[in-house]
Amino acid sequence: DTATTEIYTLSLHDALPIYYARTIHDSANQLLAMINEILDFSKIEAGHLTLETSSTAINPLAEGVMALFEPRAQEKGLRLSLHVDPLVPGWVMIDAGRLRQILLNLIANAIKFTDHGSVSIRVTSTVEHLLFEISDTGCGLNSEQQETLFEPFQQADESVARRYGGTGLGLAICKRLSDAMRGRLGVISTPGEGSTFWCELPLVEASPVSTSQPAEPTQDFNGTSLLLVEDNAVNRKVALGLLSRLGCDVVCAENGYDALAMAKRQQVHLIFMDIQLPDSDGITVTQQLRAQGGWCSDVPIVAMTAGGAEDDRKRCLAAGMNDYITKPLSLLALSNVLALQLTPAQTPSTPIAAESGNDVLLNEATLATLTSSIGADSVKQLVMLYHQQVHDYIGQLVDCFASNTEIASEQLPQMERLAHQLRGESLSIGAEQLAAQSKHLEQLAGQPEASSAQIEEAFSALHHCAARTHAALEQWHREHQLN
């Protein structure tokens, strides 16, 4: 939408950036979906479609696809259900990506064209075939509409195109994919009662594939009490999930003042301390805790930070901290630091080195570790929270540019703080490239000699990277987490 884009460019210097950003985002998503469908269809028609058959677990694949549509179904007040017949083999040889593409399209259509009632997914099998049936209680189709439904650029009628949009390619692509997989695709429908789209594919049983899981810590920390000092909601949720998995009892403080007050009321075995806090910094809070005396003089305090510079480590250890751990956190890293710091015979450990690879858009190893540690549902909620936080940070950063051709000096600390927050959250979720862009903006905002042009250029790169990261996380959900 070039007109909206032009307005948005101008709006960096007035007070209406968020509205235009959302308009661009929605228009771009619709356009991208249409372009992808056209490209996909062109590839199939040109004979460039390749199938990648592998041993696939049917149950998790079907459950994962359904889970993606649960929020949309709930929003419309529809019942969404899945039934996999017990006789369906656990593992089959199939192109999981193409099967998922077919199911995503059929379920999306069922929900789109159903205003009341339910959408159900049913998976059954015979000796030779797998059968997927997606049934809805929507508007249904007459026989004339059914005849052309699987042809390219066809929709039930013109009113459908006006109301729902789209290219009319989705079902045509599904039909060609099922044909390429030596299967069949069809529909049974009655106007006013609903439709059942079915996809029948050859059944070839397969042996289970063992997936390598991140190393699990062997030590149990049940009964260990911890104070987590972390102001960031995403980072706090990640740390809480991992530490709870280790059996720890965790209390949280969101700033230095609360941490000091809590330490006066409650004794804990160890304190995890974020370095940058809204009212102070972790080093100062550590010094104040040590000065309180009593158990605070000796309790292990471990720094948690997005940074990995050697001078940061030295400052933390010099302030009286016992160890230093960098984000993204992992179950194993937390277990190791707890074991080292809570065993009396051990001396303070060597700080854990920061991981490299900030050029990676999305570190799937971080996401896999989170999934195995806190569960797929928690990761799904975490990603949704992260998307919301990124949206909020971007909005606040845009506001820093409003109404001025030059960035006001009083805005720089705010920009530095927001960039630091975004950096930490991005590392926690595995968004390494966005973390690197945030770090660059954070550094520029902290340099008095940096020009407004440099800062705006850094923010523009960050903004584009945030959009790519959002898309990459959505793709990861579809292709990995919910398989």
Side-chain angles (χ1 to χ4, degrees):
D1 189 335
T2 55
T4 310
T5 306
E6 184 176 358
I7 295 171
Y8 176 76
T9 304
L10 297 173
S11 76
L12 284 177
H13 301 292
D14 59 42
L16 297 172
I18 303 302
Y19 169 77
Y20 297 125
R22 285 175 179 163
T23 304
I24 291 173
H25 178 72
D26 292 343
S27 299
N29 275 344
Q30 293 175 24
L31 181 60
L32 183 61
M34 295 172 70
I35 291 171
N36 284 339
E37 283 190 342
I38 292 169
L39 291 175
D40 221 358
F41 184 75
S42 300
K43 187 188 296 183
I44 294 170
E45 291 294 276
H48 295 157
L49 173 67
T50 56
L51 297 177
E52 298 178 4
T53 303
S54 61
S55 185
T56 302
I58 288 297
N59 238 65
L61 185 148
E63 289 172 355
V65 171
M66 188 187 78
L68 289 173
F69 290 99
E70 284 175 344
R72 196 181 307 178
Q74 289 173 4
E75 189 178 313
K76 294 189 71 174
L78 302 175
R79 295 187 306 277
L80 185 61
S81 63
L82 168 68
H83 173 74
V84 180
D85 191 278
L87 296 179
V88 173
W91 292 77
V92 300
M93 289 298 294
I94 206 164
D95 187 324
R98 295 305 182 180
L99 172 58
R100 191 181 297 109
Q101 189 175 356
I102 292 172
L103 295 178
L104 286 169
N105 208 305
L106 295 181
I107 298 171
N109 277 353
I111 292 175
K112 181 194 294 186
F113 296 112
T114 303
D115 292 327
H116 308 284
S118 64
V119 173
S120 64
I121 304 108
R122 181 176 172 81
V123 187
T124 56
S125 66
T126 63
V127 175
E128 296 181 344
H129 294 101
L130 264 177
L131 180 64
F132 298 87
E133 296 172 290
I134 289 83
S135 301
D136 63 63
T137 57
C139 54
L141 299 158
N142 60 40
S143 56
E144 193 176 297
Q145 292 169 330
Q146 293 177 42
E147 285 178 8
T148 59
L149 198 59
F150 298 105
E151 294 303 315
F153 304 105
Q154 294 295 318
Q155 293 181 323
D157 55 47
E158 290 183 5
S159 65
V160 170
R162 285 194 300 271
R163 180 179 176 186
Y164 298 103
T167 60
L169 281 175
L171 290 176
I173 290 173
C174 289
K175 181 70 166 64
R176 282 154 177 76
L177 288 176
S178 64
D179 289 345
M181 297 165 75
R182 294 180 292 115
R184 299 188 302 145
L185 184 71
V187 62
I188 301 168
S189 185
T190 304
E193 294 183 12
S195 306
T196 295
F197 283 82
W198 55 268
C199 179
E200 184 184 74
L201 298 171
L203 172 58
V204 180
E205 290 194 47
S207 301
V209 175
S210 59
T211 55
S212 58
Q213 294 293 330
E216 287 281 338
T218 56
Q219 190 161 348
D220 186 3
F221 296 95
N222 275 327
T224 301
S225 58
L226 304 175
L227 171 59
L228 172 64
V229 188
E230 170 65 76
D231 64 310
N232 186 279
V234 169
N235 295 341
R236 199 163 56 245
K237 187 176 179 67
V238 170
L240 272 171
L242 294 174
L243 292 169
S244 298
R245 176 75 180 272
L246 290 170
C248 301
D249 298 319
V250 187
V251 292
C252 296
E254 297 183 19
N255 54 57
Y257 177 84
D258 289 347
L260 292 168
M262 202 167 288
K264 292 178 179 177
R265 298 194 304 267
Q266 180 177 351
Q267 183 172 342
V268 296
H269 293 110
L270 184 142
I271 298 173
F272 282 110
M273 180 74 66
D274 187 34
I275 294 300
Q276 283 209 358
L277 297 167
D279 59 345
S280 183
D281 63 79
I283 289 175
T284 300
V285 176
T286 296
Q287 292 169 335
Q288 292 172 331
L289 283 170
R290 296 300 191 207
Q292 285 186 9
W295 69 272
C296 291
S297 301
D298 303 313
V299 63
I301 300 178
V302 178
M304 300 169 68
T305 178
E310 184 60 34
D311 59 340
D312 278 349
R313 296 191 182 97
K314 289 177 180 176
R315 285 194 308 127
C316 290
L317 298 175
M321 293 184 176
N322 301 75
D323 209 343
Y324 183 107
I325 187 170
T326 57
K327 301 165 186 172
L329 305 175
S330 72
L331 207 61
L332 197 59
L334 288 169
S335 176
N336 287 341
V337 78
L338 287 171
L340 286 168
Q341 296 303 326
L342 297 176
T343 304
Q346 294 284 355
T347 55
S349 67
T350 302
I352 299 171
E355 294 184 19
S356 59
N358 282 344
D359 290 337
V360 178
L361 186 63
L362 200 60
N363 188 329
E364 295 190 9
T366 299
L367 287 163
T369 300
L370 284 172
T371 303
S372 66
S373 301
I374 66 177
D377 288 342
S378 294
V379 172
K380 183 179 178 181
Q381 294 172 11
L382 183 64
V383 169
M384 290 173 63
L385 174 61
Y386 174 70
H387 285 331
Q388 182 59 52
Q389 294 282 81
V390 172
H391 180 273
D392 291 345
Y393 291 146
I394 294 291
Q396 291 180 63
L397 284 167
V398 168
D399 287 341
C400 292
F401 293 92
S403 304
N404 290 292
T405 53
E406 291 291 320
I407 301 168
S409 58
E410 59 267 22
Q411 296 284 6
L412 293 176
Q414 169 76 343
M415 295 185 71
E416 187 177 7
R417 182 187 67 80
L418 290 167
H420 180 83
Q421 293 275 57
L422 181 55
R423 177 187 174 199
E425 291 192 19
S426 298
L427 282 173
S428 292
I429 208 79
E432 296 192 350
Q433 194 172 109
L434 185 53
Q437 296 285 2
S438 302
K439 179 180 180 180
H440 181 51
L441 180 60
E442 179 187 356
Q443 290 172 334
L444 284 175
Q447 295 172 1
E449 65 275 14
S451 67
S452 293
Q454 287 177 304
I455 294 174
E456 287 195 30
E457 183 180 354
F459 173 65
S460 177
L462 182 152
H463 202 170
H464 287 300
C465 185
R468 294 197 305 275
T469 300
H470 187 286
L473 278 168
E474 294 301 301
Q475 182 178 345
W476 181 85
H477 259 296
R478 292 193 297 270
E479 295 183 354
H480 295 275
Q481 181 190 341
L482 298 174
N483 280 2

